[in-house]
Amino acid sequence: APARQLFARLAVMAGEFDLAGAEALVERCGLASIDVLEGLDELHDASLLAVSGAGGAGTAKFRMLEPIRQLAEAELTAAGLATETRRAHTRWLIELVTDAHARRDDSRPAAFAAVDRYGSQLRAAVAWIAISFMPWVLTESRTAVRNG
């Protein structure tokens, strides 16, 4: 079922996200066969996902309550997919920022507005990168001090 495959992967989404963000994550995880909107609807129907915002799915904002997100994260880790999914999440955000920065036409403000909408996602990705590379940084720092 789309909801089951989607549930654990969405654990990496910090705070609110939209359909486009969920689709971008799923695509970068190599799960193109998942109907993301159907999965989000199923998760909402099962009270695993909160939805806010008026209009259709394009303007809706989705969010997992923290205890549910922690459960999803535990499933993601148990399945051995946490690092892969966080890399996919980070890759999507890097692509989003790079695209906005590269634009030199009238679409640039809209591209940066899109980046701004994903502020909580960007903070989560940067935190994950910092935590992931901390052991390497500490090792390199100690080596530099010893060789000093």
Side-chain angles (χ1 to χ4, degrees), residues 17-23 37 40-41 51-62 117-118:
F17 59 93
D18 59 11
L19 176 60
E23 288 174 334
L37 183 55
L40 293 172
D41 283 342
V51 181
S52 62
T59 58
K61 301 292 182 210
F62 303 93
R117 282 195 308 272
Y118 294 115

Side-chain angles (χ1 to χ4, degrees), residues 52-91:
S52 62
T59 58
K61 301 292 182 210
F62 303 93
R63 180 178 52 87
M64 281 186 176
L65 297 176
E66 188 57 22
I68 293 170
R69 195 198 65 73
Q70 289 173 356
L71 175 64
E73 190 166 17
E75 285 190 20
L76 189 66
T77 301
L81 298 170
T83 299
E84 169 191 322
T85 304
R86 291 203 181 280
R87 283 182 181 153
H89 181 245
T90 302
R91 192 168 43 252

